[in-house]
Every structure is written in structure tokens, then in C-alpha cells.
Amino acid sequence: MAVDVPEKYGGTGLDYLAYAIAIEEISRGCASCGVIMSVNNSLYLSPIMEFGNEEQKQKYISPFVDGSRVGCFGLSEPGNGSDAGAASTTAHLDGDHWVLNGTKAWITNGYESEASVVFATTDRNLKHKGISAFIVPKPIDGLSLGKKEDKLGIRATSTTYLIFEDCRIPKENLLGEPGFGFKIAMTTLDAGRIGIAAQGVGIAQAALDCAIDYAAKREAFGAPISKMQMIQSKLADMEVKVQSSRLLTWQAAAFKDAGLNFTKEAAMAKLAASEAATFNAHQAIQVLGGMGYVTDMPAERHYRDARITEIYEGTSEIQRLVIAGQLLKEFSQKV
């Protein structure tokens, strides 16, 4: 639950590549467990590790590294989705406390979490530069939870709303400086996309494993269907998707470990891996036929779990915008 957290705070002290590999393998078995781990590592622990002070790290990292507690991340709102700079949740300073009001949506780990990194507008006149980040312990007066969403996939996770009504948190729970919230959010999402990419690779690999196993055992016209060229073509395409998205994910993780800018690499990895997961899950059902459509086999779960990877932590459309933006920036620097 804390792969890349330094050992001094109770983590394993490994690098982001090791983290990506761990997420992939866990997601290969259960995508829900993979995203629980990803949210705690990438979206909760990571911003506190990078922007928090020593007191915040001791209080809000060390207790969250062994799996007994998890954190969550409050950025999305009912009305702002991909527009992360349009936070309607507000925070104002009242003496020694910040007072939060507003609603955060689609919060993974929302029910189980015992703390959250939350983003709120502290100065509307500054737009995205007026957004600040806060560490909010749970439970706390003024914070209530919405209903658990009944989701298509990743059903072993809780997804809910965080509802703030005059929620008072200590002044020292401001993460970073006032107005740094948007920067913290974007930096966090870059790293988080590597985790979701790894989840997508795990789902894609699991779907391929399922399809190969079934094709080798299922006989039609006197031979295993794995002997049929059409099935072989599907398996080959699935393997290419897995291997290419895995390498992109490892590249993004390696860039992060090397201290290089990895915004484009993380977006490419997330885009490729999420679409690989969706593609492979779809093809696995085609290989299994009717058996792919029932819960006796895992193919239908992979299909349901894969779909969210193209939506959360930046839709595929947003990833393409990020990639193109970075590409044009690189080009302009060369001419």
C-alpha cells in the first residue's frame, strides 16, 4: 500500500517502476484491488509526500502505509468533471481553522478512507490560481457521505460523494501554499495516470490469459479453436496491445524515477493501456462466445472493469489533448 514511500515513513522505499509492476500484477487478479492501491499510493500519499511538511508526513503518511488505513482524493465535482480548475467547493479562513463547503464526486475509497486530500477555491478572483489543497481527516464534523454508487465495474470499491457543510479543519492542514492546489492536482494526476495505466495493463493481460486458456481447451470442428486462424489473429492483436502498453507504462515510470518531465509519457501510457484493456476484454468475450457473457467465467468482469480506465483520472479525450499539447510544445522549442 506504500510501494514508493520512503522506509523512514514505513513504506518499502522502492521506485515507481516497481510500483507500476505491483499495480499491474494485482490488477491482473482484481482490478478493484488495483485501484484501491493506486488511489492510496498515487492520489493520497504522493501529494502529501511531495508537498507536505514533516509534521503532515508523520501524521498522514505513516499510519496509511500498512493497509490498515486508506486515503482518498477529492478533486472532481458534480459539475466540473474534466475541468479541474473549476472547483466550486470553497474554503475560507476563520481564525485557526479553514471552513470547507461544497461537494466532491466520484470519490474512490470514499467510505473506507480515514483522510482525504481535498481541493477547494480560496480566492475566486484568481480562478485556477486561487485553488488550494487541504488534508481532511475522516470522520469529522461537517463532512458527510453520499450513497455508494452502484457501478458497472470495479464493484469491490466504494465510490461516493464527499459533502462538506461548514466543515472546519485545522489551519495547519493546508497542503503546500495557498493557491498551489491546481499545481498539486496536476502533478498528482500525472503520477496517478501511471498507476491507472498499470491497472489497464493488468486487465488487458488477464483478458488475454482468459482467452488463451479457453481457446486451448474449447474444441470445435474436431480441434481446439486456438488452431483457427481467426482466433489466432485475435490473440496476436491482444498480445501486441498488452506488450506495447506495458512498455509505455514502464517508460513513464522510468522517466518519473529519473526526475524527467513525464507528463506526455504518463498520458500516452494511460491512453494506450486503458484502450488496450477495453479492446482485450471485448476480444476475450468474442473468443469465449456465450461463455464470455456469463459470470461463470471472468471475461465479463474484465469487460466491466476495463471501461472505467478510459474515464477516471482523465478521459481518453483529455489524454489526447495532453499528448498533443506536449508534442506541440516540444516542436516549438526545436524551431
Side-chain angles (χ1 to χ4, degrees):
M1 293 300 289
V3 177
D4 68 323
V5 171
E7 291 182 63
K8 66 178 288 189
Y9 299 111
T12 56
L14 298 177
D15 59 17
Y16 226 73
L17 179 57
Y19 167 62
I21 293 171
I23 288 280
E24 178 190 333
E25 288 303 309
I26 289 171
S27 299
R28 188 175 179 178
C30 176
S32 293
C33 293
V35 77
I36 290 169
M37 177 181 170
S38 179
V39 168
N40 192 64
N41 277 269
S42 298
L43 302 187
Y44 173 73
L45 294 174
S46 181
I48 300 175
M49 194 68 242
E50 185 165 352
F51 297 97
N53 56 43
E54 186 61 28
E55 182 181 351
Q56 290 171 338
K57 291 175 183 178
Q58 293 291 345
K59 187 173 182 180
Y60 293 107
I61 288 182
S62 295
F64 290 80
V65 297
D66 64 356
S68 61
R69 298 180 181 181
V70 294
C72 65
F73 183 77
L75 177 63
S76 295
E77 297 184 355
N80 77 351
S82 297
D83 187 5
S88 60
T89 297
T90 61
H92 71 269
L93 196 57
D94 180 21
D96 292 332
H97 290 79
W98 289 97
V99 183
L100 276 64
N101 282 282
T103 300
K104 294 297 179 179
W106 314 117
I107 309 302
T108 303
N109 293 354
Y111 265 78
E112 297 78 13
S113 60
E114 295 189 36
S116 177
V117 174
V118 175
F119 298 85
T121 295
T122 49
D123 189 338
R124 290 191 182 280
N125 295 325
L126 297 178
K127 297 184 178 179
H128 69 277
K129 292 184 179 179
I131 297 174
S132 300
F134 303 89
I135 305 172
V136 180
K138 294 173 66 244
I140 189 172
D141 290 342
L143 171 58
S144 59
L145 304 178
K147 68 179 179 67
K148 286 186 180 180
E149 300 293 345
D150 188 11
K151 307 187 297 293
L152 172 70
I154 56 168
R155 294 180 63 85
T157 69
S158 69
T159 304
T160 189
Y161 280 26
L162 303 181
I163 304 166
F164 297 93
E165 297 173 294
D166 292 330
C167 179
R168 300 174 67 87
I169 62 171
K171 183 178 179 180
E172 57 268 24
N173 280 34
L174 175 71
L175 182 61
E177 300 294 326
F180 273 33
F182 188 78
K183 176 184 177 181
I184 293 173
M186 294 302 100
T187 301
T188 301
L189 287 175
D190 279 347
R193 285 165 183 159
I194 298 175
I196 298 305
Q199 181 197 29
V201 175
I203 296 170
Q205 183 67 66
L208 176 57
D209 293 342
C210 178
I212 292 174
D213 181 68
Y214 185 82
K217 295 175 180 176
R218 172 77 162 92
E219 292 194 1
F221 306 104
I225 63 172
S226 60
K227 299 291 185 181
M228 298 178 179
Q229 286 187 339
M230 184 59 73
I231 298 298
Q232 291 179 359
S233 176
K234 290 182 183 297
L235 297 177
D237 288 344
M238 293 166 76
E239 174 70 353
V240 170
K241 293 281 188 181
V242 169
Q243 294 294 346
S244 58
S245 59
R246 178 179 288 132
L247 289 173
L248 280 171
T249 301
W250 288 4
Q251 175 185 248
F255 269 47
K256 185 180 188 307
D257 288 334
L260 302 173
N261 184 298
F262 62 95
T263 297
K264 184 183 74 172
E265 286 69 25
M268 290 193 299
K270 204 265 188 186
L271 175 65
S274 61
E275 294 192 349
T278 302
F279 177 86
N280 279 17
H282 178 96
Q283 293 302 313
I285 290 179
Q286 290 301 113
V287 171
L288 270 66
M291 287 304 296
Y293 202 69
V294 295
T295 57
D296 300 67
M297 299 290 283
E300 60 85 29
R301 173 168 58 86
H302 300 323
Y303 189 81
R304 290 185 292 103
D305 288 345
R307 194 62 190 87
I308 191 60
T309 64
E310 290 191 63
I311 298 172
Y312 57 17
E313 295 196 38
T315 64
S316 291
E317 291 75 18
I318 290 295
Q319 303 315 307
R320 287 182 166 89
L321 291 178
V322 171
I323 295 164
Q326 291 292 311
L327 193 61
L328 292 170
K329 182 179 178 181
E330 291 170 7
F331 178 78
S332 66
Q333 292 172 346
K334 294 177 182 178
V335 296

